[in-house]
Amino acid sequence: MEYREGRCPKCNEVMQIPIGRDKIICMFCGQEFSVEEAREEEQAACREAIEHFRETAGSFFHNMEETAKGFHRNRYAESFENYCQRENENLKTINGIMKEAPDRAEAGKEVAEIIIGCAKEIMNGHKKKASREAFQMTLNMYMVTYVLPSILHVENGSLSDLTDDICKGWSDTFPKSNIQAASYESLKDGFKRKLCYITTAVCESLHKPEDCYELNLLKAYRDDYLALSPDGEALIARYYDIAPTIVKRMNKEKDRKAIYRSLYENYISPCVRLIEEDRNEECRQKYSEMVEMLQTEYM
């Protein structure tokens, strides 16, 4: 016999309700009730929770630009913990909705729409095109490094279907954006390992070791020059936002070896030469050119 989770309309205890039964006796209070009555109670409770979340969801984006500055290898752990503590009630509400909703898929779509709606309202405050484009980058980075990881942080990733709905709705709402959910642990580990996704993928395709000269040089350039330059951290954050998706999509191409060889010859090797010649800003321009090209091609 198959079961679904439900609540007794009298004592509100959670119990397993056999699918196909019309009536059941609560094992906690002994009250007999109809399954339809319990379902109506669940729907009403879920609707109340969703409406409450609609009123409070905007706090996910409070002080966004200042919080986003915490995405730095030396500050991210503390910054993320503070964010989760601040948003604890919202995260508990979301978890409760997704656990108790009679239709989890529909509830997830509605929660996703509420979060995206808050972001859209913020974006509408930026009228000038240049301002909107710059702010969109910040907004994307903030979603990837704070909002989505905080949702995945709830009960070890049990809300991954919700973050999938958010990412899909995000690309529909902001057509030039394509975000991907990552866990806090993977982002934090990326700082520890000093990941450089695209360069790593290129060097691996050429059978270079993990500590090859090119990778070490570009990682040092990122940490010692780029991160300390104006807008450098924003550029790095944007890279963390899109690079994993680009690599995944390149790896699906039949001619991926030729693609990686071309990237090495036309971008990675020239960047290495520019760093060696202390032409750091030219290296930044060259590497940014590669990322922009790949974003256009694969996203």
Side-chain angles (χ1 to χ4, degrees):
M1 181 175 289
E2 295 185 12
Y3 296 84
R4 69 172 180 83
E5 194 172 272
R7 287 185 180 273
C8 171
K10 181 178 180 182
C11 69
N12 205 38
E13 288 287 350
V14 178
M15 55 188 299
Q16 299 299 312
I17 300 176
I19 294 176
R21 293 279 294 274
D22 294 328
K23 291 188 177 181
I24 190 171
I25 296 176
C26 176
M27 62 182 292
F28 297 99
C29 68
Q31 175 72 32
E32 183 181 49
F33 60 89
S34 71
V35 174
E36 183 61 30
E37 182 184 1
R39 188 171 181 82
E40 289 174 358
E41 289 282 342
E42 291 170 0
Q43 289 173 336
C46 182
R47 173 50 48 195
E48 183 178 351
I50 288 174
E51 293 308 315
H52 172 71
F53 178 63
R54 193 183 304 278
E55 295 177 0
T56 62
S59 73
F60 271 129
F61 300 93
H62 286 176
N63 205 26
M64 181 184 74
E65 292 178 273
E66 188 61 32
T67 300
K69 294 177 182 178
F71 186 63
H72 185 278
R73 64 185 181 279
N74 296 326
R75 302 195 300 269
Y76 185 47
E78 181 181 1
S79 178
F80 183 78
E81 182 180 354
N82 290 339
Y83 179 82
C84 288
Q85 289 178 355
R86 190 188 84 189
E87 297 304 318
N88 183 52
E89 288 304 314
N90 267 334
L91 294 171
K92 285 171 60 177
T93 298
I94 289 174
N95 192 35
I97 291 170
M98 297 300 289
K99 269 189 170 182
E100 300 179 15
D103 189 328
R104 181 182 172 100
E106 286 302 314
K109 289 178 182 177
E110 191 160 1
V111 170
E113 288 173 0
I114 291 171
I115 293 173
I116 295 168
C118 292
K120 186 177 180 180
E121 186 175 342
I122 295 171
M123 274 296 298
N124 289 339
H126 292 260
K127 303 298 183 183
K128 295 181 180 179
K129 183 179 179 181
S131 174
R132 286 176 64 86
E133 289 178 352
F135 189 75
Q136 184 73 68
M137 286 174 54
T138 301
L139 188 57
N140 290 350
M141 185 269 284
Y142 183 76
M143 286 293 296
V144 169
T145 54
Y146 286 92
V147 179
L148 295 173
S150 71
I151 294 172
L152 287 175
H153 209 55
V154 176
E155 297 198 5
N156 300 317
S158 64
L159 300 183
S160 59
D161 50 347
L162 172 58
T163 57
D164 288 345
D165 284 336
I166 295 171
C167 291
K168 182 181 183 304
W170 194 267
S171 61
D172 292 339
T173 304
F174 306 110
K176 293 183 179 181
S177 299
N178 193 344
I179 63 174
Q180 184 178 20
S183 69
Y184 161 71
E185 288 76 14
S186 67
L187 291 169
K188 183 178 67 172
D189 187 52
F191 280 124
K192 286 182 179 179
R193 292 162 55 200
K194 297 187 174 181
L195 290 179
C196 194
Y197 292 97
I198 295 173
T199 307
T200 299
V202 170
C203 290
E204 285 179 350
S205 75
L206 299 175
H207 305 293
K208 292 180 178 290
E210 291 183 1
D211 61 346
C212 69
Y213 175 71
E214 293 90 340
L215 266 174
N216 285 334
L217 187 67
L218 281 164
K219 287 175 182 177
Y221 166 79
R222 179 196 61 196
D223 295 338
D224 299 335
Y225 175 79
L226 189 57
L228 303 177
S229 65
D231 299 324
E233 288 190 6
L235 184 62
I236 293 169
R238 182 189 177 202
Y239 176 83
Y240 269 88
D241 177 6
I242 64 175
T245 300
I246 289 173
V247 170
K248 285 181 181 179
R249 293 180 180 177
M250 284 196 296
N251 284 338
K252 293 179 181 179
E253 298 290 339
K254 292 181 180 180
D255 59 342
R256 58 184 176 276
K257 289 186 178 180
I259 293 171
Y260 284 131
R261 169 62 68 179
S262 175
L263 290 175
Y264 183 81
E265 292 175 352
N266 295 312
Y267 294 100
I268 304 301
S269 185
C271 280
V272 168
R273 186 177 66 254
L274 290 169
I275 295 171
E276 290 173 337
E277 296 173 359
D278 202 25
R279 295 156 65 187
N280 291 324
E281 194 56 32
E282 291 178 63
C283 175
R284 170 180 175 145
Q285 293 170 5
K286 190 68 176 177
Y287 205 86
S288 296
E289 178 187 329
M290 178 186 72
V291 174
E292 291 291 342
M293 180 275 292
L294 291 172
Q295 184 176 10
T296 301
E297 181 72 20
Y298 295 99
M299 297 185 68

